[in-house]
Amino acid sequence: MVAIDLGSNTIRMIEYDCDKKEVLNSFEKIVKTADKLVDSGVISDETIDRIVKAIEEAKEKLNFTDVVAVTTEALRQAKNKDEVLKIVKEKTGVEFKIISPEEEAYYTTIATEEVIAKRYRYKNMFLVDIGGGSTELILKNKKELISESFQIGIVTISPKHKSIEALEYGIKKDVKPFKDFINFIKASYMPDIFVASSGTPTTIAALKIGLDYETYDPQKVNGVVLEIKDLDFWLNELLKMERSKREKLVGVGRGDLIVSGIMIFKEIFLMSGFKRCIVSDNGVREGVAIDYCKNRKKNLL
């Protein structure tokens, strides 16, 4: 089966074998779903074209027999969401479901647990997913999944600020609501492990171990440990680079966004009180695949 996650910046897909519980192939492309969404409130025709082209390109690589496709914050916000999804279905045959923040947190969590549980023992996991249009903060243990979604993401926050100084100040101000949730889970659950999913943490993890956008390997990135000093180092390094060199490392169209992502990530890191964070490449698309396979197995029994 193929699981698709259309995010606010990137469309990510995997072909997954339910019986073997393994990823057979993957595809991702930057489509800038939330481009100009903050100003216009709608997803443009150009953006729709990019999404359609990405799906058609993926069909050359993945087997689209069984497809489950979800989309998140950009489509949740877009005034023309119904029209966008109708056009995409007509042109590609793929029907997307707009999932809630709670569903997004669920998929991210079950996918992340697949990675983390193999490497670590823990009682209460604090998980952060810094997306293009929103950030999910999650507490997960054996009995509960508690999450809160904030409409602060790397794609939507970057255009608001014209300088690095303004961006840093704006992020510090905008992420203040995170603190109440983080303080609540620290006081009530005392998390013993801090995990981060999504593009910013995985990119920094890749850079830390000597990979770039072209050589990126999810298996090598899974389980990499980051500290705040890693964020500071790579933020400074990336800011010193020309855009072309920066985008060679992190991907075309992500050169400025990664800066916002690191700044958001650092603020969460500081609020958490943790000294280290474990990175998971697994995210929504893997969670969608795992959930689909579990439900299929139940239906067969």
Side-chain angles (χ1 to χ4, degrees):
M1 63 85 62
V2 169
I4 306 177
D5 167 26
L6 174 59
S8 296
N9 192 49
T10 308
I11 188 166
R12 305 178 77 236
M13 315 181 197
I14 53 167
E15 184 177 342
Y16 192 81
D17 187 315
C18 289
D19 297 324
K20 295 181 180 179
K21 296 182 180 180
E22 66 179 30
V23 176
L24 302 178
N25 216 334
S26 64
F27 175 90
E28 72 173 66
K29 193 155 193 173
I30 293 169
V31 292
K32 299 182 180 179
T33 315
D35 188 35
K36 301 176 183 176
L37 180 62
V38 173
D39 295 327
S40 67
V42 299
I43 291 172
S44 68
D45 292 341
E46 292 79 11
T47 300
I48 296 172
D49 286 342
R50 289 195 295 270
I51 294 167
V52 169
K53 287 178 182 176
I55 294 171
E56 293 302 331
E57 186 178 336
K59 286 181 178 180
E60 301 295 320
K61 188 176 181 182
L62 311 179
N63 180 3
F64 270 58
T65 303
D66 292 316
V67 179
V68 181
V70 303
T71 185
T72 52
E73 189 61 31
L75 270 295
R76 289 198 287 258
Q77 290 185 25
K79 296 175 183 176
N80 63 336
K81 59 173 73 73
D82 293 336
E83 179 187 353
V84 172
L85 297 186
K86 181 181 177 183
I87 293 171
V88 171
K89 183 180 178 182
E90 288 174 349
K91 292 189 174 183
T92 67
V94 175
E95 183 172 6
F96 280 89
K97 175 190 175 185
I98 301 173
I99 58 173
S100 68
E102 292 76 20
E103 289 173 300
E104 183 176 0
Y106 166 73
Y107 288 132
T108 301
T109 302
I110 63 171
T112 300
E113 286 181 311
E114 286 281 308
V115 172
I116 302 303
K118 293 176 182 177
R119 294 170 166 84
Y120 299 92
R121 290 185 177 181
Y122 57 91
K123 291 183 178 179
N124 295 292
M125 176 173 66
F126 174 42
L127 170 62
V128 58
D129 177 9
I130 305 166
S134 66
T135 295
E136 275 64 49
L137 303 181
I138 303 162
L139 184 284
K140 179 65 170 69
N141 57 32
K142 289 184 179 179
K143 296 180 180 179
E144 296 177 281
L145 191 163
I146 303 167
S147 66
E148 192 159 345
S149 181
F150 301 85
Q151 290 185 336
I152 300 166
I154 62 173
V155 175
T156 52
I157 204 168
S158 297
K160 295 180 181 179
H161 306 287
K162 304 301 180 185
S163 69
I164 293 298
E165 293 75 18
L167 178 64
E168 187 171 19
Y169 174 78
I171 286 173
K172 285 180 180 291
K173 181 180 177 182
D174 288 348
V175 302
K176 283 182 179 179
F178 292 6
K179 197 165 185 65
D180 286 341
F181 180 84
I182 293 173
N183 285 344
F184 161 68
I185 64 167
K186 285 168 67 176
S188 302
Y189 295 92
M190 293 182 290
D192 51 340
I193 192 169
F194 177 31
V195 182
S197 175
S198 72
T200 296
T202 57
T203 298
I204 300 305
L207 294 175
K208 181 177 180 176
I209 60 176
L211 304 176
D212 60 19
Y213 188 77
E214 291 297 323
T215 59
Y216 185 90
D217 184 340
Q219 296 308 315
K220 293 180 180 178
V221 167
N222 276 329
V224 171
V225 174
L226 295 179
E227 299 176 13
I228 289 179
K229 65 181 181 181
D230 297 314
L231 307 189
D232 289 335
F233 174 81
W234 283 106
L235 178 61
N236 291 331
E237 288 295 304
L238 292 167
L239 286 174
K240 288 188 293 187
M241 296 177 190
E242 294 181 357
R243 179 188 287 266
S244 58
K245 186 177 180 182
R246 192 191 305 172
E247 294 200 337
K248 184 179 185 301
L249 285 181
V250 305
V252 175
R254 300 181 70 213
D256 293 332
L257 301 179
I258 190 66
V259 172
S260 300
I262 294 171
M263 289 180 178
I264 294 171
F265 188 17
K266 181 178 177 179
E267 292 302 314
I268 297 170
F269 217 135
L270 291 169
M271 290 179 192
S272 77
F274 279 91
K275 293 184 178 179
R276 65 178 202 163
C277 179
I278 301 153
V279 175
S280 166
D281 178 80
N282 276 17
V284 171
R285 63 178 180 175
E286 287 81 8
V288 168
I290 292 165
D291 185 68
Y292 169 87
C293 294
K294 284 181 179 178
N295 288 329
R296 192 192 73 158
K297 186 176 181 179
K298 286 179 183 178
N299 293 333
L300 291 173
L301 294 175

